[in-house]
Amino acid sequence: MSNPPPDHATDDRSQERATERAAWPLEGLRGLVLAAAQELRGAPMGASERAGGAVVGGGRGAVTLERPPRAELGDYSTNAALLLAPGLGEPPRTLAERLGHVLERELGADLLRFEVAGPGFLNLYVADSWLSGALAAVLGAGESFGGGVARARERILVEFVSANPTGPMHVGHARNAAYGDALARLLAFAGHEVEREFYVNDAGSQIRKLGESIQALARGQAVPEDGYKGDYVVELVSELAGASSMQADELGRAAVAVMMGRLQASLAAFAVSFDHWQYESALHEGSPSLVEHTLAILEEQGHTYRSEGALWLRTTDFGDDKDRVLVRSNGEHTYFASDIAYHQDKRERGFQRQIDVWGADHHGYVRRMKAAYQALGGDPDELELLIMQLVHLVSAGERAQMSKRAGEFVTLEDLQAQIGVDAARWYLLARSHDTTVDLDLDLAREQSSENPVYYVQYAHARIASILAKAGAHNVQAALTMAAGDAAGARREPLDATERALVQQLLAFPSELAEAAQRRAPHRIAAYALELAQGFTAFYRDCRVLGAEPSSLELWRIALCVASRCTIARCLSLLGVSAPDEM
């Protein structure tokens, strides 16, 4: 296919492609694939198409650029021809061949060859020069590599943990804390404006029951059957002077203040912080209170009614299986009313998206909360209610049981004491939040390649040692050389493990984008382990310090720098330390 004569449209396209080449290397390559597909279709490509996938075959298709399962199948593979075929009326394999020739023209010597595979996939074999230039782009991006991948920046509030302040933090809360914190880190690095909030349930019957439990112990009486038990309750008796003479409600509030101090200290030790602590009791203060304000909004919009002396919300109008009580016949607000007011308050504070991280026992609460959010005028898709599954601690093949009121549970402090913060966070994050975790304490303590967090941290420490031995002067020389290698000037052929490691590094932005979009920090843990394994294979097969010629040594030092930075970024997103020595 001949090139069109130069005109303004061509100049614009050249500028667009120059911008794509300046993006993350894989996004630049994907942009070229999209542009080539649109060229075959005979339509110019706009900015939105470059960002979200080309319009092909008369509809919007998800054009992919992925690494094949085996290296012999190419470095990258695309389905673009398969998506083009229906609209153009040509066989996919024929279109894939044409697409390959367009990419040959665009990439020049950076594309070794292409092959058409299967029903019409196009497999691309990139040259060492392209990978060397891509490494230069990674190093040039520095700390920002992989960041800012969000397609649309949002102001997001992540509310997580929100444990009842009636007992210590246990391992179930720990998973919630690790997940919410890592998710907030992910979203912020992806480019969103993120705040973290803890909702303190300091109103209701559970606070009075805590007070009654402390009161009974202080008076030498048995704790009520439905009260709270455990060593921490005994400690509260000794910490709250005059407990025996205090009223249960007053005693409960005093106990909450003590427990919140402990809870905040536990979270801080677990590397978790919050921007705001929202107390449920505050929702009922003032005239009108936030709860009253919210009920007035619902009433004005015609979504409430009275029946049998109670005030109801017509949640069935918004997909719930039955209507819900907001104010009981005795005039008391329900927990649901407080929760609705809390979410309305977050809306009025200007958050475009609310993400609530809830415990496994809240699954049945999702539909009614989304219905109430819609009744308030909110978009239910902008309220994400993520349900965490349970954590089971396993030691010597047996599970530990937990019960807060009975006082038989493993606290967050106990977990940290047994395996440390890093291992605890890693193992709580390594599986998807919607699956149950069996945390093997024995494995988490191991300092071996069988322990994934130790393996990844050890890879980082090994790279730090290599760079320290290389010396600051050589590291700087390596970075300078790499910066001048944006055109892929390295002459020595890349080893297979070098190629694989560079490709793993280039995948980081897309892995991060996927993890952020799917609310899946576990993907970062999996990627970090794969990257550490890739570096170990490279280090096994390729000499770094003392490699000849000197340009090869410097290039491999630069590859070590990029690997170290990316592993450290992954660990940071998980809230896990990246040690220089182990």
Side-chain angles (χ1 to χ4, degrees), residues 343 346 352-356 358 366 369-374 379-386:
H343 286 83
K346 290 191 282 187
Q352 298 165 264
R353 183 171 301 277
Q354 299 182 32
I355 300 177
D356 295 357
W358 288 353
V366 171
M369 194 65 249
K370 278 186 169 286
Y373 195 79
Q374 191 172 0
D379 182 347
D381 290 336
E382 294 176 354
L383 173 63
E384 299 182 29
L385 306 175
L386 307 180

Side-chain angles (χ1 to χ4, degrees), residues 159 175-176 179 183 355-367 369-370 384-390 431-436 519:
E159 181 249 311
R175 186 182 191 189
N176 190 305
Y179 175 81
L183 179 59
I355 300 177
D356 295 357
V357 182
W358 288 353
D361 57 345
H362 285 69
H363 191 275
Y365 211 67
V366 171
R367 185 185 297 179
M369 194 65 249
K370 278 186 169 286
E384 299 182 29
L385 306 175
L386 307 180
I387 305 298
M388 304 295 298
Q389 290 305 313
L390 300 176
R431 295 285 302 276
S432 176
H433 70 277
D434 55 5
T435 61
T436 300
R519 316 308 191 216

Side-chain angles (χ1 to χ4, degrees), residues 519-570:
R519 316 308 191 216
H522 71 278
R523 293 183 64 99
I524 299 299
Y527 170 79
L529 180 58
E530 179 185 345
L531 183 58
Q533 291 167 338
F535 177 82
T536 300
F538 154 72
Y539 187 68
R540 177 198 65 214
D541 295 348
C542 299
R543 183 174 185 177
V544 178
L545 302 183
E548 294 291 345
S550 59
S551 60
L552 177 59
E553 178 187 40
L554 293 178
W555 195 90
R556 288 177 174 171
I557 289 174
L559 182 54
C560 287
V561 172
S563 300
R564 179 191 182 188
C565 289
T566 308
I567 291 174
R569 172 62 69 185
C570 291

